[in-house]
Amino acid sequence: MTRINHELFNQVNNYMSQAFIPYGRQDIDQNDIESVIRVLRSDFITQGPTVGEFEKSISKMMGVEYSVACNSATSSLHLACLALGLQEGDYLWTTPITFVASANCGLYCNAKVDFVDIDPKTGLMSVKELSKKLEEAKAKRSLPKIVIPVHLAGTSCDMPKIAELSKKYGFSIIEDASHAIGGYCNNYPVGSCKYSDITIFSMHPVKIITSGEGGIATTKEESLAIKIKSLRNHGIIRNKEMFVTEPAGEWSYEQQDLGYNYRMTDILAALGLSQLQKLNAFIEKRTHIIQEYKLNMVNLPVQLLEVPENIKSAYHLAVIRLKNNDKTFHRNVFNKLKGKGIGVQVHYTPVHLQPYYRNLGFSEGDFPISENYSTNAISLPIYPTLKKQDFNRVIGELKEVLS
Ligand SMILES: *Cc1c(COP(=O)(O)O)cnc(C)c1O
């Protein structure tokens, strides 16, 4: 086929088959577009006043003293680890059921990474497993310096209990809340750092709100905020009161640490700021979709992830668990749905089974609950603009596949 014919063929093919429904997507409206254009017409397009405004809005909404925006949640996680002093010889623990970035941030700091298995009902880091592992680590003098609970699918981990353990065993807590902006734990907004040192949000387009690419670290500790701000900008300090040498002049700045260029731009902050105004509306729509899934699944051999009573989930993902616990069945259900144009996903393949982590010594059987989870979990489409007719198509295909 010539190139033109090939394109024509694809167009006709797309027209004839039903449109693909992704598992998640951004919702950008005219206000978002105008917000970005305003910045493009202004004097600042790189990190400037809009980044500051975005940070202030986040702090206000979360009821937290400091927010620092970076160019991704991954870079925010990296800087959070550095600010808490993570280094070679230290341990960082997280959960296997997460995106690789929650673990990689420890390796960036040359620390050793280990995992805590999950609670099978919620998919979240199990407090029972954590307690057990901490007690064993204490005996071996290998306690973690940092623990990163991950609020999978928008549902906060049991933070009061994890905070209790942090006091008992002396570790710091970074909440990976990449999925959970807009969620609550015991009526405290995720991001308030009521139960942690630092909380991280992601503004990747597939997450709850987007700035294109972007991450935010929130904290109550001024020293941590100052450190993260400096590290996102090469380790440079501009406040002369903090200089360690005599300034040569007005123009002087000092590089006191080895930092990075992890800055967010005003263009992206303008999008984030505009999206933030719609956070509550987005969460309402997501909550509604989950309720609809629940209603339509009563008679199906599947179950949504559980949300504990004291938690208000941001419902980033609609994860179902197949009751028929068989790898082949799982793969078949996934492939059939995908074949029908339903953008299913698996969140996640356990991180310790990624080839890079296997090379570090992890292997199958290390975290059996997580491994079992990944062979019966499927994420169904959920996003604010999911149309009723598309939702019905998802349910229809699911019923068909499971019948
Ligand atoms: C998306 C995600 C990240 C990384 O976010 P980026 O902004 O893309 O760097 C980290 N952790 C979890 C759990 C995520 O889902």
Side-chain angles (χ1 to χ4, degrees):
M1 260 193 293
T2 68
R3 194 182 147 71
I4 296 286
N5 273 344
H6 190 74
E7 274 172 16
L8 191 64
F9 173 81
N10 279 340
Q11 273 174 21
V12 170
N13 208 28
N14 283 341
Y15 180 69
M16 281 166 53
S17 66
Q18 283 182 297
F20 182 77
I21 307 170
Y23 83 83
R25 62 157 292 142
Q26 72 275 18
D27 177 5
I28 304 286
D29 69 10
Q30 194 56 30
N31 286 336
D32 295 325
I33 293 166
E34 280 163 17
S35 176
V36 172
I37 290 174
R38 230 174 290 130
V39 163
L40 285 170
R41 294 210 163 107
S42 76
D43 293 336
F44 297 92
I45 56 169
T46 182
Q47 185 182 293
T50 312
V51 169
E53 243 183 278
F54 185 34
E55 291 170 338
K56 265 198 203 123
S57 298
I58 293 271
S59 295
K60 196 169 162 215
M61 189 176 275
M62 305 311 162
V64 71
E65 282 77 357
Y66 307 97
S67 297
V68 186
C70 291
N71 58 5
S72 70
T74 303
S75 53
S76 305
L77 283 163
H78 182 192
L79 298 190
C81 289
L82 289 174
L84 289 167
L86 190 72
Q87 57 185 354
E88 193 163 353
D90 291 334
Y91 281 89
L92 176 145
W93 292 2
T94 187
T95 159
I97 300 300
T98 185
F99 184 56
V100 291
S102 321
N104 288 346
C105 57
L107 300 182
Y108 294 158
C109 302
N110 300 311
K112 291 189 188 118
V113 168
D114 203 353
F115 302 91
V116 179
D117 216 340
I118 58 167
D119 176 327
K121 293 202 181 80
T122 59
L124 303 169
M125 180 184 281
S126 155
V127 170
K128 214 174 99 203
E129 294 289 331
L130 178 61
S131 306
K132 208 170 81 190
K133 197 174 171 103
L134 285 165
E135 207 42 48
E136 288 164 9
K138 190 179 166 194
K140 289 188 282 184
R141 295 177 175 278
S142 58
L143 281 167
K145 178 155 192 134
I146 295 176
V147 172
I148 304 190
V150 178
H151 304 331
L152 182 76
T155 303
S156 170
C157 295
D158 190 346
M159 293 313 299
K161 292 238 177 72
I162 296 174
E164 236 171 72
L165 291 171
S166 85
K167 289 202 185 85
K168 183 169 174 196
Y169 293 96
F171 56 83
S172 301
I173 302 175
I174 302 172
E175 294 174 70
D176 184 344
S178 293
H179 298 183
I181 192 167
Y184 287 79
C185 175
N186 281 348
N187 293 321
Y188 294 104
V190 172
S192 64
C193 295
K194 170 77 182 163
Y195 305 107
S196 64
D197 298 279
I198 301 172
T199 302
I200 305 294
F201 296 124
S202 169
M203 269 89 59
H204 182 277
V206 90
K207 308 293 162 75
I208 306 259
I209 62 166
T210 188
S211 59
E213 292 271 11
I216 289 253
T218 66
T219 182
K220 294 184 300 221
E221 286 290 327
E222 187 184 23
S223 58
L224 292 175
I226 290 174
K227 195 86 178 168
I228 296 172
K229 274 190 183 170
S230 157
L231 288 171
R232 82 173 159 186
N233 190 31
H234 310 279
I236 284 171
I237 298 275
R238 288 184 190 277
N239 179 356
K240 295 198 171 47
E241 281 169 26
M242 295 171 66
F243 278 19
V244 293
T245 59
E246 198 57 41
E250 181 49 36
W251 63 85
S252 296
Y253 58 78
E254 278 189 351
Q255 185 198 339
Q256 296 186 352
D257 279 307
L258 184 60
Y260 303 84
N261 178 356
Y262 281 171
R263 294 185 307 260
M264 177 178 272
T265 71
D266 266 24
I267 301 172
L268 300 189
L271 178 54
L273 193 55
S274 168
Q275 287 260 301
L276 194 58
Q277 318 307 316
K278 291 173 286 192
L279 177 60
N280 290 336
F282 286 168
I283 304 275
E284 259 175 50
K285 285 184 182 163
R286 288 176 175 275
T287 307
H288 178 71
I289 294 169
I290 288 285
Q291 284 162 350
E292 288 291 309
Y293 272 132
K294 214 173 263 173
L295 283 174
N296 281 278
M297 283 174 185
V298 197
N299 296 316
L300 295 181
V302 298
Q303 203 165 14
L304 285 159
L305 282 178
E306 279 183 21
V307 176
E309 209 147 281
N310 59 331
I311 306 293
K312 185 172 173 274
S313 181
Y315 293 118
H316 168 55
L317 301 171
V319 178
I320 54 165
R321 314 285 303 279
L322 306 177
K323 286 182 184 164
N324 178 346
N325 208 345
D326 175 84
K327 272 186 191 182
T328 314
F329 180 71
H330 180 245
R331 194 176 309 132
N332 284 344
V333 171
F334 185 98
N335 289 343
K336 278 184 190 159
L337 289 171
K338 198 80 184 253
K340 297 284 189 179
I342 314 292
V344 281
Q345 257 298 348
V346 174
H347 294 97
Y348 294 89
T349 297
V351 176
H352 70 281
L353 297 183
Q354 294 289 354
Y356 193 87
Y357 281 85
R358 285 179 191 258
N359 284 340
L360 296 177
F362 293 101
S363 57
E364 225 146 311
D366 285 348
F367 304 98
I369 309 169
S370 298
E371 290 165 24
N372 181 57
Y373 169 95
S374 72
T375 59
N376 63 30
I378 293 179
S379 302
L380 298 177
I382 183 167
Y383 48 92
T385 55
L386 181 65
K387 292 194 206 88
K388 183 74 189 155
Q389 92 198 55
D390 285 344
F391 175 86
N392 289 340
R393 228 180 93 204
V394 175
I395 286 294
E397 297 297 356
L398 187 66
K399 282 183 176 159
E400 173 113 11
V401 166
L402 293 172
S403 67

